[in-house]
Amino acid sequence: MVLNYSEMMIRYGELSTKGKNRMRFITKLKRNIQDVLSIYPAVKVMADRDRAHVYLNGTDYQPVAESLQQVFGIQNFSPSYRIEKSVPALIEAVQEIMTDIYQEGMTFKVSSRRSDHSFELDSRELNQTLGNAVFEVIPTAQVKMKAPDIELRVEIRTEAAYISYETIRGAGGLPVGTSGKGMLMLSGGIDSPVAGYLALKRGVDIEAVHFASPPYTSPGALKKAQDLTRKLTKFGGNIQFIEVPFTEIQEEIKAKAPEAYLMTLTRRFMMRITDRIREDRGGLVIINGESLGQVASQTLESMQAINAVTTTPVIRPVVTMDKLEIIEIAEKIDTFEISIQPFEDCCTIFAPDRPKTNPKIKNVEQYESRLDVKGLVERAVSGIMVTTITPQVEQDQVDEWLADLL
């Protein structure tokens, strides 16, 4: 018998606490898995109340496993073999698997689960039969009921039997989209993608709002933001990317306001526009990457002055983290190398040498009275461009597949 993995058996995380809403969460998780695995055309996804199943249909299990490890809402999963539903076939498969993976001194146990109650052996009898089969090929093997080195899991379903022995840890958290929608203010820096990742982990369906000011910001800066967004799609699927034209606003602020207040006024406009987009697109919150005290616009006084333009909740997932903590997460989620690419963004092109760190709201409002705030916001919102960012196969995976073919 030649054994190849046929599926990934997925176990849910926090969904066990969701009661009557459980199937809504499971349905969303299934869709997210389908989006993330859309780069593997042959793969099919099924989900029921207790488990989800990813059928490989000949696809290499390793890259699929790597993708699944990053999808929020998955507690763990096991690559599984599909076996003919008969006692002789199960005995042969268990003996082959154990002969392949067993090392001297290891302990094992067999855990059977029978959803097809017409099968000739019940769970206890199957455990005993398959355990004896192991002893036939490995007489020195030892059984251990708690925390064995190898746990052979056997499931008897209607269509076939399945065997697994490996458990791979998932990302945990909640399926993206089960906690509502939020608008992520995505710059090209290190912090905002990390904030987006942390929001995704708690089930927030993010849309990325990026401000572009051509010709001051380049096409490279825009692609950088889109590449960061694509990195975030591996945690829950497709993300809407919203490009906001911001040149007119920045030129108006620079021409009519004191230099020290440029950053505060710029951020207030960004907040207003993001809030309008949120309202138009059914979002519930605004998310950004502000970290307290990291730059001039992120003092408590600056945050208060900037936040004053909206009553919408603003979530700041990294607000209490220092830079090294944020960088550690950025490296983990593979956004750091993109974030440090040397492209200017809207927050840096007109940055003053000495920005105001404790701006007074009355002064800010006085300077804004020189501007057509409503008109500037309306024109920016009317000019947005929305594109769907989807997962893609990483180049190293392509190289591995080509090497296998050759």
Side-chain angles (χ1 to χ4, degrees):
M1 180 185 296
V2 178
L3 293 177
N4 292 303
Y5 288 128
S6 60
E7 72 159 73
M8 302 291 190
M9 186 189 307
I10 295 172
R11 302 172 186 89
Y12 307 132
E14 293 182 47
L15 306 194
S16 60
T17 65
K18 297 306 173 187
K20 294 180 180 178
N21 291 320
R22 182 181 177 88
M23 285 310 299
R24 179 175 69 85
F25 280 71
I26 290 170
T27 299
K28 184 58 181 172
L29 176 59
K30 175 188 174 183
R31 290 174 184 161
N32 293 347
I33 294 172
Q34 288 172 325
D35 282 346
V36 170
L37 299 184
S38 62
I39 55 178
Y40 312 110
V43 167
K44 303 299 178 187
V45 183
M46 300 289 290
D48 56 34
R49 187 170 182 82
D50 297 320
R51 305 279 175 84
H53 307 276
V54 173
Y55 297 103
L56 296 171
N57 295 318
T59 305
D60 181 13
Y61 90 97
Q62 193 65 49
V64 175
E66 290 172 1
S67 294
L68 285 176
Q69 278 184 283
Q70 301 174 93
V71 178
F72 290 125
I74 296 176
Q75 181 182 32
N76 59 55
F77 59 93
S78 297
S80 302
Y81 302 102
R82 180 186 173 114
I83 309 296
E84 176 193 329
K85 198 169 56 173
S86 72
V87 173
L90 285 167
I91 289 174
E92 183 182 356
V94 163
Q95 289 178 334
E96 182 175 335
I97 291 168
M98 285 297 292
T99 301
D100 185 50
I101 67 175
Y102 180 82
Q103 297 179 20
E104 191 62 36
M106 281 185 168
T107 57
F108 83 100
K109 76 181 243 188
V110 180
S111 300
S112 298
R113 175 178 175 177
R114 189 182 62 151
S115 58
D116 178 5
H117 294 285
S118 67
F119 189 69
E120 58 191 285
L121 300 180
D122 64 23
S123 297
R124 182 186 60 80
E125 293 168 334
L126 193 54
N127 288 342
Q128 188 175 31
T129 299
L130 297 179
N132 289 335
V134 173
F135 290 127
E136 288 178 10
V137 292
I138 311 174
T140 58
Q142 293 183 343
V143 173
K144 186 179 180 184
M145 300 311 293
K146 289 188 177 181
D149 297 312
I150 301 169
E151 182 176 1
L152 287 173
R153 295 186 178 89
V154 180
E155 291 205 12
I156 308 298
R157 300 185 215 153
T158 303
E159 74 282 3
Y162 295 84
I163 300 177
S164 63
Y165 65 87
E166 183 181 6
T167 299
I168 301 171
R169 185 176 178 179
L174 296 172
V176 173
T178 56
S179 297
K181 183 192 293 185
M183 317 311 290
L184 172 66
M185 299 175 71
L186 182 73
S187 68
I190 297 169
D191 303 340
S192 55
V194 172
Y197 162 79
L198 294 171
L200 289 168
K201 186 173 184 179
R202 298 314 304 160
V204 180
D205 181 14
I206 63 171
E207 294 191 347
V209 180
H210 178 73
F211 294 85
S213 291
Y216 306 106
T217 58
S218 67
L222 178 62
K223 182 179 183 301
K224 176 182 176 182
Q226 292 171 333
D227 289 344
L228 288 170
T229 303
R230 182 163 282 109
K231 288 292 184 182
L232 295 178
T233 62
K234 61 189 176 185
F235 303 107
N238 300 347
I239 295 175
Q240 300 302 305
F241 181 87
I242 303 168
E243 178 189 350
V244 181
F246 205 57
T247 307
E248 180 189 11
I249 291 174
Q250 289 203 274
E251 289 179 338
E252 281 287 289
I253 293 171
K254 185 170 177 59
K256 297 180 180 178
E259 183 178 357
Y261 275 83
L262 291 182
M263 185 59 66
T264 304
L265 293 170
T266 296
R267 296 288 294 177
R268 277 167 64 95
F269 269 97
M270 288 180 170
M271 189 70 78
R272 286 188 181 98
I273 291 167
T274 303
D275 200 26
R276 271 291 309 280
I277 295 171
R278 173 205 62 78
E279 185 176 1
D280 292 346
R281 297 179 63 81
L284 300 175
V285 296
I286 296 169
I287 304 155
N288 66 32
E290 291 177 342
S291 175
L292 186 60
Q294 193 175 119
V295 295
S297 65
Q298 295 175 21
T299 63
L300 286 179
E301 294 85 354
S302 289
M303 288 183 187
Q304 182 186 39
I306 294 164
N307 223 110
V309 302
T310 179
T311 58
T312 298
V314 179
I315 296 176
R316 299 173 172 86
V318 302
V319 71
T320 62
M321 296 183 188
D322 63 36
K323 197 66 176 182
L324 292 179
E325 290 174 308
I326 298 171
I327 288 173
E328 184 178 352
I329 298 175
E331 290 175 335
K332 170 187 169 184
I333 65 175
D334 200 25
T335 57
F336 180 72
E337 293 300 326
I338 298 174
S339 292
I340 61 174
Q341 291 175 2
F343 293 106
E344 297 284 347
D345 62 32
C346 286
C347 292
T348 57
I349 54 173
F350 292 148
D353 293 332
R354 299 181 63 183
K356 201 73 171 175
T357 58
N358 59 340
K360 302 293 185 285
I361 291 181
K362 66 176 183 178
N363 292 341
V364 173
E365 291 174 344
Q366 177 187 339
Y367 300 139
E368 283 182 344
S369 68
R370 305 173 184 176
L371 306 169
D372 177 17
V373 173
K374 184 177 180 181
L376 289 168
V377 170
E378 290 294 333
R379 287 192 291 277
V381 171
S382 66
I384 66 172
M385 293 182 60
V386 183
T387 55
T388 301
I389 305 294
T390 61
Q392 68 179 19
V393 180
E394 300 290 346
Q395 187 59 47
D396 56 352
Q397 292 182 7
V398 174
D399 294 341
E400 287 179 14
W401 295 345
L402 289 174
D404 289 342
L405 289 172
L406 297 173

